[in-house]
Amino acid sequence: MEPSKCLTVTMLGQFSIRFGETTLKLERNNNTRAMQALQMLLYDREHGLSRAVLMDRLYGRDERVTDPANNLKVTISNLRKRLAQAGLPGTTIQFSGGSYRWQSSLPTEVDVDCFYRQAAAALAETGPGREEALRRACALYTGDFLPHLQGEEWAVAVAVHCRELYARCVRALTDLLRAKGEDAQVLTVATRASALCPQEEWDALRIESLLALERYQEAKDVYEETATRLEETFGVKPSEQLIDALRKIEQVAPERAVSMEQLQTVLAEDTAAHGAYYCPFPSFIDTYRAVGRMLERSGQSAYLMLCWLTDRQGQPLGDRGRLEKAIPQVSAAIQNALRRGDAYTQPCAGRFLILLLGLTRENCTLISDRIDARFQSAPERVRGVVLHYKSTPVGSPGCTQMMGADPGWK
């Protein structure tokens, strides 16, 4: 097909229409109502869009528009004039059967459609051509879909779909390259992905590739840049995936590890949450052992409390559905009833372990009463569930049984 006889539409990363070598300037910017209508009709040019859909997308949130049907007619009329002035042969907006459609005697190629077709073919390919097909698909993605329409729901939905499809292609391609040990190629693909769709997954992949290439300082720089971006742009701390990448940097090049400030950022809690600190059971074991050692020096007291759920007859809850509904309610009651300096975990279904610091055995009863009160006042509380408690000083023989969370032990 001769380029001079084809319309080339770009929607990824920007919006433009080229007729041959000429880029058309139909409006002063791409956000006018006429241009938005054009972009919608080009994207859905195969089936068109109903009058109702166009009215809703263009005027649904504008309270100043009292007659959206008439406004739409005016908008489409203006668009037709713009297309005629551009000198495009046989090109207009057709209306039939209650729907508007893009109509042109010129072949129209839209980049997002090319990307869809190539990505689908690449992901379905299982033969020796898979790598090259994935490379072509990744190359066709050049940025967010119509980025100037980020506030429009329809465009956002398409943009998300395109990003997810691109991510699938990047993952598939980098998996192939990593399997062949082509770390430099992985770095190239991940770096481009990070520039087009900034996210921690690609930055972690960049770090792993740089470590494999023994470019340790660059790996550290990528981590610091990513952590700073997350903090300044989104106000969040690095994910577990990025923290794993940090650990790899430290293991391979400890003398070039990140700064103390970066490590403190990783160690600190995301938010200053109220109540007791929940941690997974393996982490709870480490916390318990560390506290036990500290108590040997300080002489303070600490208790380990076991809380378990039964029915009114004292039997384990046999109804799995009731148990699954009750567990988060009990967890919330424990967290809200305790102090920030206390910790708790769930070693198994229907059982909680609580580490209480700086209190006496008498205080343990007050704690269990507070937990009961919080649980009883929970909205939509699961009925017929009874909480039981057992406490013992940290370091005593009873703690061994409780840490084991033996379902038969009370």
Side-chain angles (χ1 to χ4, degrees):
M1 184 185 303
E2 295 182 33
S4 60
K5 298 181 180 180
C6 177
L7 280 176
T8 304
V9 181
T10 300
M11 290 188 167
L12 295 172
Q14 61 174 331
F15 177 71
S16 67
I17 303 178
R18 288 200 322 275
F19 181 36
E21 300 301 323
T22 304
T23 299
L24 304 182
K25 187 69 176 177
L26 301 178
E27 282 273 14
R28 63 185 183 276
N29 63 61
N30 291 324
N31 289 318
T32 65
R33 292 271 170 70
M35 291 303 289
Q36 288 188 45
L38 174 62
Q39 291 158 54
M40 294 179 206
L41 292 169
L42 280 169
Y43 180 74
D44 285 295
R45 65 191 182 284
E46 183 177 347
H47 303 290
L49 291 171
S50 70
R51 179 168 45 196
V53 169
L54 282 170
M55 284 193 298
D56 180 62
R57 289 182 180 178
L58 291 172
Y59 310 106
R61 291 180 296 177
D62 193 340
E63 297 179 355
R64 298 169 299 176
V65 176
T66 57
D67 189 353
N70 183 64
N71 280 58
L72 179 60
K73 287 181 181 179
V74 172
T75 296
I76 297 297
S77 176
N78 289 335
L79 177 55
R80 286 171 175 150
K81 290 178 183 178
R82 295 290 183 183
L83 292 172
Q85 291 169 359
L88 301 177
T91 300
T92 188
I93 305 300
Q94 181 189 46
F95 180 76
S96 64
S99 294
Y100 290 93
R101 287 179 176 81
W102 167 265
Q103 185 180 57
S104 180
S105 60
L106 297 169
T108 304
E109 183 179 88
V110 181
D111 64 341
V112 68
D113 289 336
C114 297
F115 169 64
Y116 285 158
R117 290 193 298 270
Q118 183 60 42
L123 292 170
E125 175 65 54
T126 58
R130 180 174 171 83
E131 180 182 327
E132 182 56 34
L134 288 167
R135 285 185 183 277
R136 289 198 297 269
C138 289
L140 287 172
Y141 185 85
T142 54
D144 277 344
F145 176 81
L146 299 179
H148 56 281
L149 296 184
Q150 290 183 355
E152 303 298 326
E153 291 182 6
W154 78 272
V156 171
V158 176
V160 170
H161 174 65
C162 290
R163 282 198 297 268
E164 291 176 347
L165 190 57
Y166 173 60
R168 288 179 60 195
C169 292
V170 171
R171 292 188 193 104
L173 177 56
T174 52
D175 284 346
L176 286 176
L177 295 172
R178 291 165 78 184
K180 297 196 299 181
E182 297 184 6
D183 299 301
Q185 290 293 318
V186 173
L187 178 61
T188 299
V189 175
T191 300
R192 183 176 185 273
S194 179
L196 291 174
C197 302
Q199 62 187 58
E200 291 176 76
E201 180 180 358
W202 312 137
D203 293 320
L205 193 56
R206 291 167 67 198
I207 291 172
E208 290 181 8
S209 302
L210 288 166
L211 291 177
L213 295 168
E214 299 184 357
R215 292 156 62 175
Y216 304 124
Q217 184 59 45
E218 292 178 63
K220 174 187 172 183
D221 292 342
V222 170
Y223 174 84
E224 292 182 339
E225 290 167 7
T226 305
T228 300
R229 185 186 75 235
L230 291 170
E231 180 67 31
E232 293 180 352
T233 306
F234 304 106
V236 299
K237 299 192 187 317
S239 68
E240 188 60 35
Q241 184 179 17
L242 204 62
I243 293 173
D244 284 341
L246 170 62
R247 294 192 184 105
K248 291 177 182 177
I249 296 174
E250 294 172 329
Q251 291 168 1
V252 177
E255 73 282 0
R256 306 186 185 192
V258 296
S259 65
M260 176 63 76
E261 290 75 15
Q262 291 288 351
L263 290 172
Q264 287 176 322
T265 298
V266 173
L267 292 171
E269 285 190 71
D270 289 339
T271 57
H274 297 289
Y277 179 73
Y278 177 84
C279 51
F281 187 49
S283 299
F284 186 88
I285 294 173
D286 292 337
T287 302
Y288 171 83
R289 291 172 179 172
V291 167
R293 292 190 178 204
M294 289 188 287
L295 293 179
E296 293 174 2
R297 295 176 55 189
S298 67
Q300 292 182 323
S301 64
Y303 279 80
L304 185 68
M305 177 181 287
L306 176 67
C307 170
W308 69 96
L309 289 63
T310 72
D311 61 18
R312 290 195 176 97
Q313 286 71 45
Q315 299 300 314
L317 292 175
D319 187 335
R320 188 72 183 179
R322 287 177 64 206
L323 181 62
E324 290 178 352
K325 290 180 181 179
I327 284 175
Q329 295 178 353
V330 177
S331 179
I334 292 172
Q335 183 176 49
N336 295 327
L338 304 182
R339 304 161 299 177
R340 280 174 51 82
D342 300 321
Y344 75 107
T345 190
Q346 184 184 343
C348 59
R351 289 176 178 266
F352 293 88
L353 279 171
I354 307 168
L355 185 58
L356 304 165
L357 305 179
L359 77 174
T360 64
R361 184 178 290 277
E362 290 73 21
N363 295 138
C364 292
T365 301
L366 297 176
I367 294 294
S368 60
D369 289 344
R370 282 214 305 266
I371 296 172
D372 270 337
R374 297 288 180 126
F375 176 60
Q376 295 297 329
S377 63
E380 300 181 2
R381 175 176 61 87
V382 178
R383 303 294 177 181
V385 175
V386 180
L387 304 184
H388 303 268
Y389 306 90
K390 187 78 174 183
S391 57
T392 189
V394 169
S396 67
C399 282
T400 303
Q401 293 173 299
M402 291 168 72
M403 292 292 287
D406 178 4
W409 184 81
K410 295 186 178 60

